[in-house]
Amino acid sequence: MSDTFEKPADAVGAAEDPTSPVLRLESVRKTYGKDTVVLRDVDLEVAPHTVTALIGASGSGKSTLLRCVNLLEEIDDGAILLDGEDITDPRIDPDTVRRRIGVVFQAYNLFPHMTVLDNITLAPRRVHGVAKEEAEERARELLERLGLGAKATSYPDRLSGGQQQRAAIVRALAVRPRLLLLDEITAALDPELVGEVLNVVRDLKDEGMTMVLATHEMGFAREVADQVCFLDAGVVRERGTPAELFGAPKEARTQQFLKRIVEAGRL
């Protein structure tokens, strides 16, 4: 997929600097109501062509963090920068920002009344103004690379869960995102289908895609991530390389969490 990650022609923001973070969160805070703090002064940097894995118990803030990055949730304080530009500035058009960010959720969110090909080409054609022929050519190329070439004209209900999730990944890649967010993309899959989706993420890493993924697949995070962040009650309690965080965690809460993961046979 050497051409998969080209910068969109209509992208906004500063020129990309290969030495600067693609994504930076500065003291990001998110609350629901008056008393429920979901993210507490979160700082995070994601370097180009790296994978950052967010781990932690359900309710720790992983999915909310990703939704804030994609501007699906408004933050209450702090800043989120994409290629050096503060995308949480109220003067920024969220739709313009989202053109540079691909997102894959737990649920596949494919339109059931549209073929796989139409699902994938919808955003390139409607949002990015790509000609139908060009959008379909790229979609078919991506489908072929992800083992779905024969499914272009199928409807989602004719695909297995793993195939639907791979189609959702193709849809996210079709707009040539600068950054790809993956939110528990194996959570809704049968165990036997998890591997085929994780193989796609491995390939994307090898090809240089910048990704932030929230996952409960600890072994996979250990294998594929360049940086692992442990979230607990909306706080990044600890971060480091997989070897550091999984092999020698420093914080007591991290140690407790990983001990339970090991006891459950998930690491």
Side-chain angles (χ1 to χ4, degrees), residues 105-111 119 164 168 171:
F105 298 101
Q106 293 182 37
Y108 321 125
N109 293 334
L110 299 171
F111 293 112
N119 266 280
Q164 289 187 60
R171 181 178 56 186

Side-chain angles (χ1 to χ4, degrees), residues 106 165 183-190 194 197-198 215-217:
Q106 293 182 37
Q165 194 61 290
D183 186 13
E184 301 285 6
I185 59 172
T186 60
L189 298 178
D190 292 334
V194 169
V197 173
L198 296 184
T215 184
H216 287 299
E217 300 287 341

Side-chain angles (χ1 to χ4, degrees), residues 29-130:
R29 186 176 181 85
K30 173 65 182 176
T31 62
Y32 292 132
K34 295 182 179 180
D35 302 320
T36 305
V37 182
V38 186
L39 297 175
R40 302 171 183 266
D41 302 321
V42 172
D43 294 313
L44 178 66
E45 286 194 359
V46 178
H49 313 302
T50 65
V51 177
T52 294
L54 309 177
I55 66 170
S58 297
S60 60
K62 304 185 301 296
S63 294
T64 299
L65 189 155
L66 296 182
R67 289 177 63 83
C68 288
V69 171
N70 199 41
L71 306 184
L72 294 172
E73 299 276 2
E74 291 186 9
I75 64 174
D76 296 297
D77 201 3
I80 299 175
L81 288 81
L82 182 65
D83 283 320
E85 179 177 29
D86 182 1
I87 60 175
T88 51
D89 186 317
R91 295 169 293 183
I92 296 293
D93 178 5
D95 289 335
T96 303
V97 173
R98 293 189 191 109
R99 293 174 184 173
R100 305 193 64 204
I101 302 175
V103 186
V104 184
F105 298 101
Q106 293 182 37
Y108 321 125
N109 293 334
L110 299 171
F111 293 112
H113 64 288
M114 300 172 64
T115 65
V116 169
L117 185 64
D118 288 339
N119 266 280
I120 293 167
T121 59
L122 182 63
R125 291 189 293 109
R126 296 285 183 86
V127 179
H128 295 268
V130 177

